[in-house]
Amino acid sequence: MDTLIPAPVSASPAPAEDFAVTAATAVHATDDAAPVAEHLAEVLRAGTGHPVPVLAGPAPGGAIALVLDAAAVPHPEGYRLSVTSRSVTLTGSTPAGLFAGVQTLRQLLPARAGTEWVVAGGEVRDQPRFAHRGAMLDVSRHFYTVAEVKRFIDQIAQYKLNVLHLHLTDDQGWRIEIRSWPRLATHGGSTQVGGGTGGHYTQEEYRDLVAYAASRHVTVIPEIDVPGHTTAALASYPELNADGVAPELFTARGNATGFSSLATGKEVTYRFVEDVLREVAALTPGEYLHLGTDETHATPEEGRLEFIDRVLPIVARLGKSVIGWHELLRSPGLPVSAVPQYWGRESSDPLMAAAVARGNRVLLSPAHKVYLDMKYDLSTPIGYKWAGCIDVADIYDWDPGTYMDGVPETAVLGVEGPLWSETLTSYADVEYMAFPRLAALAEVTWSPWSTHDWPGFAARLAAHGPRWEAQEVNFCRSPQIAWST
Ligand code: IFG
């Protein structure tokens, strides 16, 4: 129990109470807990080869029981896990809490499959510190397949992250089918950084991704980056351009981002945005649409203000709330439901403090702390370093609850680690930059500050290496960690 990541609120090992998973082991669950029970059973079957049936109703002795009991576990994502030599009882107030408990249970099992699988005995009580615990994957600069995104979802869910922000559109690629503007995907999605064939998700594939994420209790937040970062759209439809001429597709890394803009003075722009957001909202069960709004250097300020003023009501009419990079705050009159995502490197920002004073909650993604496309150190072969190098200790050792002046913990919806993909040419590169740093970010967003302890975390992470080796994750063996083999 002393190697769990993220660290739980409390864990008390009981070594004499290890529970052996055998050919007779079954998982018992009431109907609302059945999907999580099946997820756990799949893990146990894969690990032991035993049948591990899922049975309805209360568990007899010698079984694993998943129980929904909101009275016993007040926090909506909390859980209690009790492991004795005779039985395992996992109690949650919601299926999400049970799912979180299963991720803990998985870490109490061996990293590799084997017939004598034993769950370490003891008690765990746990609940998250922040509600929004996210990773962002940039599928625009380089396209990743449905299977690769599903693997990413599985990987982040193991550390109790519960949000996947998909950066679906940018200069180098439009990655989601929009039926009213089909060339966005067929032309705007036909390439990527370096000139490769790119790709896009059909709406059916995207629905499948959203459903898969939901089965791992991960909410997908789609980002349609506007009014900047729009070359893929502008290249697809001449009428979207101020001069009516479509530019070539853009396949460079874009060392200076913020060079493109929608024509905020043309009515067709607003029809375009409304059509796109309507179709994306229909694919989004979650509360939020992300509008980007970052680096609008090519948009005249009065045009940017008009654009935001006209687009916010579109999102509201679609029944969604807006997340935007923190430049969104330059627009006065934001609704209190709007969430600015801070990606700056300051710990004091007057617009952020003013938004919090008005009642907005914020997302924190300080670039020098959580931008996963930054190099670990100067020897990292891929990634950028404009925000500095970020090794495991850097992403671990900060407190979102006190990081920003005028932004108390109660105003922090959570933290998100963006993984921009200009320099990530393969999914193996994604894993290298994401792990182990996302495990550290997961602890920053889930665990109580009272458990925050770099040496302890570094030791737990060292013991985690074999788990990633067993899962064939291409993780970075940072020299800051004494990786056990
Ligand atoms: N900033 C840009 C990203 C990406 C990044 C690479 C934001 C909000 C630099 N915008 O981060 O599109 O290019 O590190």
Side-chain angles (χ1 to χ4, degrees), residues 138 141 167 170 223 225 229 253-254 257 294-295 325 327 343 371 373-374 384 386 418 420 422:
D138 170 8
R141 276 57 179 265
H167 186 75
D170 211 300
E223 180 182 350
D225 200 346
H229 288 264
R253 283 184 178 178
T257 40
D294 61 310
E295 300 182 314
W325 300 105
E327 292 96 319
W343 64 286
Y371 261 37
D373 62 324
M374 294 303 117
Y384 285 141
W386 62 264
W420 302 104
E422 284 98 333

Coordinates of all heavy atoms in Angstrom, one line a residue, residues 138 141 167 170 223 225 229 253-254 257 294-295 325 327 343 371 373-374 384 386 418 420 422, ligand 1:
D138 N -2.8 17.1 -28.1 CA -2.9 17.9 -29.3 C -2.9 16.9 -30.5 O -1.8 16.4 -30.9 CB -1.7 18.9 -29.4 CG -1.5 19.6 -30.7 OD1 -2.4 19.4 -31.6 OD2 -0.5 20.2 -30.9
R141 N -1.5 19.0 -34.5 CA -0.1 19.1 -35.1 C 0.3 17.7 -35.6 O 0.9 17.6 -36.7 CB 0.9 19.7 -34.1 CG 0.9 21.2 -34.0 CD -0.5 21.8 -33.7 NE -0.4 23.3 -33.6 CZ -0.2 23.9 -32.4 NH1 -0.2 23.2 -31.3 NH2 -0.1 25.2 -32.4
H167 N -7.3 18.7 -28.3 CA -7.0 19.9 -29.1 C -7.2 19.5 -30.6 O -6.3 19.0 -31.2 CB -5.6 20.4 -28.9 CG -5.3 21.7 -29.5 ND1 -5.7 22.9 -29.1 CD2 -4.5 22.0 -30.6 CE1 -5.3 23.9 -29.9 NE2 -4.5 23.4 -30.8
D170 N -6.2 23.3 -35.4 CA -5.1 24.2 -35.3 C -4.7 24.5 -36.7 O -5.3 24.1 -37.7 CB -4.0 23.7 -34.4 CG -3.3 24.9 -33.7 OD1 -2.8 25.8 -34.4 OD2 -3.3 24.9 -32.5
E223 N -11.7 20.9 -28.1 CA -11.3 22.3 -28.3 C -11.3 22.6 -29.8 O -10.7 21.9 -30.6 CB -9.9 22.6 -27.8 CG -9.4 24.1 -28.1 CD -8.0 24.4 -27.6 OE1 -7.4 23.6 -26.9 OE2 -7.6 25.5 -28.0
D225 N -10.2 25.7 -31.7 CA -9.4 26.9 -31.4 C -9.8 28.0 -32.4 O -9.6 27.8 -33.6 CB -7.9 26.5 -31.5 CG -7.1 27.6 -30.7 OD1 -7.6 28.6 -30.4 OD2 -5.9 27.3 -30.5
H229 N -5.2 30.4 -34.8 CA -4.8 29.0 -35.0 C -5.7 28.3 -36.0 O -6.2 27.2 -35.7 CB -4.8 28.3 -33.6 CG -3.7 28.6 -32.7 ND1 -2.5 27.9 -32.7 CD2 -3.5 29.7 -31.9 CE1 -1.7 28.5 -31.8 NE2 -2.3 29.5 -31.3
R253 N 6.3 23.5 -38.1 CA 6.0 23.5 -36.7 C 5.3 24.8 -36.3 O 4.7 24.9 -35.3 CB 7.3 23.3 -35.9 CG 7.8 21.9 -35.9 CD 9.0 21.7 -35.1 NE 9.5 20.3 -35.1 CZ 10.6 19.9 -34.4 NH1 11.3 20.8 -33.8 NH2 11.0 18.7 -34.4
G254 N 5.6 25.9 -37.1 CA 5.0 27.1 -36.7 C 5.7 27.7 -35.5 O 5.2 27.9 -34.4
T257 N 3.7 30.9 -33.4 CA 2.2 30.6 -33.5 C 1.5 31.9 -33.4 O 2.0 33.0 -33.0 CB 1.8 29.7 -32.4 OG1 2.4 30.0 -31.2 CG2 2.1 28.2 -32.8
D294 N -6.5 31.5 -27.8 CA -5.1 31.8 -27.5 C -4.4 32.5 -28.7 O -4.7 32.2 -29.8 CB -4.3 30.5 -27.1 CG -4.3 29.5 -28.2 OD1 -5.4 29.2 -28.7 OD2 -3.2 29.0 -28.5
E295 N -3.4 33.3 -28.4 CA -2.4 33.8 -29.4 C -3.2 34.4 -30.6 O -2.9 34.0 -31.7 CB -1.5 32.7 -29.8 CG -0.6 32.2 -28.6 CD 0.4 31.1 -29.1 OE1 0.0 30.2 -29.8 OE2 1.5 31.2 -28.6
W325 N -8.3 29.5 -23.2 CA -7.1 29.8 -22.7 C -7.2 31.2 -22.0 O -8.2 31.9 -22.3 CB -6.0 29.8 -23.7 CG -5.9 28.4 -24.3 CD1 -6.3 28.0 -25.6 CD2 -5.3 27.3 -23.7 NE1 -6.1 26.7 -25.7 CE2 -5.4 26.2 -24.6 CE3 -4.7 27.0 -22.5 CZ2 -5.0 24.9 -24.3 CZ3 -4.2 25.7 -22.2 CH2 -4.4 24.7 -23.1
E327 N -6.3 34.1 -22.3 CA -6.5 35.3 -23.1 C -8.0 35.7 -23.2 O -8.4 36.8 -23.5 CB -6.0 35.2 -24.5 CG -4.4 35.1 -24.5 CD -3.9 33.7 -24.6 OE1 -4.5 32.8 -23.9 OE2 -2.9 33.4 -25.3
W343 N -2.2 29.5 -18.8 CA -1.0 28.8 -19.3 C 0.2 29.7 -19.2 O 1.3 29.4 -19.8 CB -1.3 28.3 -20.7 CG -1.5 29.3 -21.8 CD1 -2.6 30.0 -22.0 CD2 -0.6 29.7 -22.9 NE1 -2.4 30.8 -23.2 CE2 -1.2 30.6 -23.7 CE3 0.7 29.3 -23.2 CZ2 -0.6 31.2 -24.8 CZ3 1.4 29.8 -24.3 CH2 0.7 30.8 -25.1
Y371 N 3.5 22.0 -18.9 CA 3.5 21.8 -20.3 C 4.3 20.5 -20.7 O 5.5 20.6 -20.6 CB 4.0 23.0 -21.0 CG 2.8 23.9 -21.5 CD1 1.7 24.0 -20.8 CD2 2.9 24.5 -22.7 CE1 0.6 24.8 -21.2 CE2 1.8 25.3 -23.2 CZ 0.7 25.4 -22.4 OH -0.4 26.2 -22.9
D373 N 5.0 19.1 -23.3 CA 5.9 19.1 -24.5 C 7.2 19.8 -24.2 O 8.0 19.9 -25.1 CB 5.2 19.8 -25.7 CG 4.8 21.3 -25.5 OD1 4.5 21.6 -24.3 OD2 4.9 22.1 -26.4
M374 N 7.4 20.2 -23.0 CA 8.7 20.7 -22.6 C 9.7 19.6 -22.4 O 9.3 18.5 -21.9 CB 8.7 21.6 -21.3 CG 7.9 22.9 -21.5 SD 8.5 23.9 -22.8 CE 7.1 23.9 -23.9
Y384 N 10.0 21.0 -26.7 CA 10.5 22.4 -26.8 C 11.1 22.7 -25.4 O 11.1 21.9 -24.5 CB 9.3 23.3 -27.0 CG 8.7 23.4 -28.4 CD1 7.4 23.5 -28.6 CD2 9.6 23.4 -29.5 CE1 6.9 23.5 -29.9 CE2 9.1 23.4 -30.8 CZ 7.7 23.5 -31.0 OH 7.2 23.6 -32.3
W386 N 10.8 26.4 -24.5 CA 10.6 27.9 -24.4 C 10.1 28.2 -23.0 O 10.3 29.3 -22.5 CB 9.6 28.3 -25.4 CG 8.3 27.7 -25.4 CD1 7.8 26.7 -26.1 CD2 7.1 28.1 -24.6 NE1 6.5 26.4 -25.8 CE2 6.1 27.2 -24.9 CE3 6.9 29.1 -23.6 CZ2 4.8 27.3 -24.3 CZ3 5.7 29.2 -23.0 CH2 4.7 28.3 -23.3
P418 N -1.1 20.0 -20.6 CA -1.2 20.0 -22.1 C 0.0 19.3 -22.7 O 1.1 19.6 -22.4 CB -1.3 21.5 -22.5 CG -1.5 22.2 -21.2 CD -0.9 21.4 -20.1
W420 N 1.3 19.3 -26.3 CA 1.4 19.8 -27.7 C 2.2 18.9 -28.5 O 3.2 18.4 -28.0 CB 1.9 21.2 -27.7 CG 1.0 22.2 -26.8 CD1 1.4 22.7 -25.6 CD2 -0.3 22.7 -27.1 NE1 0.3 23.4 -25.1 CE2 -0.7 23.5 -26.0 CE3 -1.1 22.6 -28.2 CZ2 -1.9 24.1 -26.0 CZ3 -2.4 23.2 -28.2 CH2 -2.7 24.0 -27.1
E422 N 3.7 19.3 -31.8 CA 4.6 19.7 -32.9 C 5.7 18.8 -33.1 O 6.1 18.5 -34.2 CB 5.1 21.1 -32.7 CG 4.1 22.2 -33.0 CD 3.4 22.8 -31.7 OE1 3.4 22.0 -30.7 OE2 3.0 23.9 -31.7
Ligands
IFG1 N1 1.6 27.8 -27.3 C1 0.4 27.5 -28.1 C2 0.2 26.0 -28.5 C3 1.5 25.3 -28.8 C4 2.5 25.5 -27.6 C5 3.8 24.7 -27.8 C6 -0.9 27.5 -26.1 C7 -2.2 27.8 -25.4 C8 2.8 27.0 -27.5 N2 -0.8 27.9 -27.4 O1 0.0 26.9 -25.4 O2 -0.6 25.9 -29.7 O3 2.1 25.7 -30.0 O4 4.5 24.6 -26.6

